[in-house]
Every structure is written in C-alpha cells, then in structure tokens.
Amino acid sequence: MTGQPGRPGQRPVRVLIADDQKIVREGLVSLISLLPGISVVGAAVDGDDAVRQVADAQPDVVLMDLNMPRCNGVEATERLRELHPGTAVVVLTTYSDDAWVFSALQAGARGFLTKDAGTDEIRRAITAVAAGHAQLDPAVQRRLLDALSSGERFAVAPASDGQPGPASAAAGGGRLPDELTPREAEVLAHIAAGLSNSEIAATLFVSEATVKTHINHIFTKTGLRDRAQLVGYAFRHGLASPG
C-alpha cells in the first residue's frame, strides 16, 4: 500500500484509512495510494480496528469516517488523541451536521472534509495536518466561527496540547484544576447538570465505557469518592454554573 515518493530526501506521509464500507474503503486506498508524497499503511473497518492498527503501523494521519459500528469515528479520535497524540486525524464523512462536526473537533480531529471533497482537497488536508496545521472544509469553518462568535454550547476551545478540545464552563482562560483534561472537565459539567452516564455518552458521541473511564480518571485526580462530591467540585471550580 505505497504511494508515489515525495520530494527527494522527504519521507512520505503515512496514512491509515478507517471506513466501514468496503467499497469506499478500497476506493480511498486506491485513490490515496496514487497521491505523491503519501503512503497508505493500513485500512481499518471501524474505530476499534483503527486504534489497534495505529498502535502497529504508527501512521502520521488517520483518514476517519464518523458513522461506523461498534466504535464510531468520534470515539476513535478521542482514544487516538489520548493513546497516540503523534497521529493526527482528518475526518472524511458524509455527516456534516453541527453535532457531528463539533463533536469530532472536540475529540481532537485536526481536519474535517465531506466525501464530496476532491482529490486535491484530500491531499492538502493530509499534508497540512501531518505538518501540524488544521484543515477544515470551508463550510465547516464558517459554522465553527459562527458557533464561537455566538457562544454556542458546541464551541471549541484549545486544549493544553494546542489541539482542538471541548469547551467547558471553565474555558475562560485559566488552567483546569488537578490536571483534568478538557474532556474530563466537560464530563464533570454534564454530571453537574444531572446527566446519567448513558446520556453523557449520547451527548459526546462516545460509549458508556469511555464515559466511565473518564469518570474513574476524575475520581483518581480529585481524590473524591462519589457523584455528589463531583457535583460540588464542579461548581466550586467553575466547571458548571446554575442554569
């Protein structure tokens, strides 16, 4: 699965493709393998498979579909950000509604394209995120700017590593307490709002198991013991507010 060589002395960008539809996955492998300076190192059938293959193949970029069985692209992106922060994610999907877009960006995606994107757009996105930049579909970029200017709940705030992360009630600029991650702060805010684990999972487009993992991390970092204490902690530290 190799593409054409890049400029002399420059290593090709290593790409893994994740899409549950076989015809789409194989078509993307064939297409991207022909792009100069890019090498396809794997093809995954869902998010779980993508996370497993990234551990072995160590790609620079994962081209990620969103709506996949077992583990969708949002949850896989979040897991990759935690386990393999050196691998960037470009979402390539038919789903461009705001909930999917902002959830993917909050999870850590560095690029977002719809599947009507042309070959040049895909190549630019892959090379841009591999170089540490972001690359968004222009329509997605406009909606993101609109959300940020209106203070919408899907607004994205920069995480501590400089990548897009979930905005929380504490995103006024200060550091998060007890070394909480932005996602953990967001989970805390949802707990304070009275959401159950299943409701938080549905809101964040992740599994209940992922939510439970975040909550366990929060308990460990804060030294708290139960959900009621978490609610008090969230209000004390400005991670949630009445109403």
Side-chain angles (χ1 to χ4, degrees), residues 218-220 222-230:
I218 293 167
F219 279 132
T220 299
T222 61
L224 302 176
R225 298 183 304 277
D226 58 45
R227 216 171 178 91
Q229 290 181 329
L230 291 183

Side-chain angles (χ1 to χ4, degrees), residues 1 7 15-16 29 61 65 68 85 101 107 124 126 151 193 222 231 241:
M1 295 184 183
R7 295 191 299 272
V15 175
L16 185 141
V29 169
V61 177
D65 189 22
M68 296 184 288
V101 169
R124 281 197 300 271
I126 290 172
T222 61
V231 172
S241 58

Side-chain angles (χ1 to χ4, degrees), residues 81 102 105-108 154-168 182-183 186:
R81 182 179 175 181
F102 294 119
L105 293 175
Q106 287 170 343
F154 289 116
V156 176
S160 58
D161 60 3
Q163 295 183 347
S168 72
R183 184 60 114 188
E186 188 173 28

Side-chain angles (χ1 to χ4, degrees), residues 66 91 93-98 100-105 109-116 121 135-148 156:
L66 285 182
V91 169
T93 183
T94 55
Y95 291 83
S96 60
D97 59 278
D98 287 354
W100 279 108
V101 169
F102 294 119
S103 291
L105 293 175
R110 298 292 290 161
F112 197 108
L113 299 173
T114 56
K115 284 184 176 174
D116 58 0
E121 290 176 273
Q135 185 78 22
L136 303 180
D137 180 280
V140 169
Q141 201 165 21
R142 283 194 298 273
R143 296 213 300 276
L144 176 60
L145 290 172
D146 289 343
L148 287 169
V156 176

Side-chain angles (χ1 to χ4, degrees), residues 169-186:
R175 294 174 61 87
L176 291 169
D178 294 314
E179 299 185 353
L180 295 176
T181 66
R183 184 60 114 188
E184 289 162 357
E186 188 173 28

Side-chain angles (χ1 to χ4, degrees), residues 3-212:
Q4 298 176 22
R7 295 191 299 272
Q10 189 175 49
R11 182 176 70 84
V13 177
R14 295 164 57 82
V15 175
L16 185 141
I17 294 163
D19 198 298
D20 63 310
Q21 297 183 32
K22 183 177 180 180
I23 189 169
V24 174
R25 186 172 63 250
E26 292 181 348
L28 286 170
V29 169
S30 298
L31 172 68
I32 293 170
S33 294
L34 297 175
L35 298 178
I38 295 175
S39 172
V40 177
V41 297
V45 300
D46 59 32
D48 281 333
D49 191 24
V51 174
R52 283 194 299 270
Q53 290 199 39
V54 166
D56 294 329
Q58 297 293 309
D60 303 302
V61 177
V62 175
L63 200 59
M64 183 83 75
D65 189 22
L66 285 182
N67 191 22
M68 296 184 288
R70 292 177 293 278
C71 175
N72 65 39
V74 172
E75 182 171 358
T77 298
E78 185 169 303
R79 288 166 59 188
L80 288 176
R81 182 179 175 181
E82 180 178 347
L83 298 172
H84 305 284
T87 296
V89 172
V90 174
V91 169
L92 181 64
T93 183
T94 55
Y95 291 83
S96 60
D97 59 278
D98 287 354
W100 279 108
V101 169
F102 294 119
S103 291
L105 293 175
Q106 287 170 343
R110 298 292 290 161
F112 197 108
L113 299 173
T114 56
K115 284 184 176 174
D116 58 0
T119 304
D120 285 343
E121 290 176 273
I122 295 173
R123 180 185 57 79
R124 281 197 300 271
I126 290 172
T127 54
V129 301
H133 307 297
Q135 185 78 22
L136 303 180
D137 180 280
V140 169
Q141 201 165 21
R142 283 194 298 273
R143 296 213 300 276
L144 176 60
L145 290 172
D146 289 343
L148 287 169
S149 63
S150 65
E152 208 173 306
R153 71 176 293 275
F154 289 116
V156 176
S160 58
D161 60 3
Q163 295 183 347
S168 72
R175 294 174 61 87
L176 291 169
D178 294 314
E179 299 185 353
L180 295 176
T181 66
R183 184 60 114 188
E184 289 162 357
E186 188 173 28
V187 169
L188 259 177
H190 287 312
I191 290 173
L195 273 64
S196 67
N197 287 3
S198 60
E199 289 169 332
I200 296 172
T203 300
L204 301 181
F205 292 89
V206 299
S207 68
E208 276 193 70
T210 295
V211 172
K212 289 176 182 176

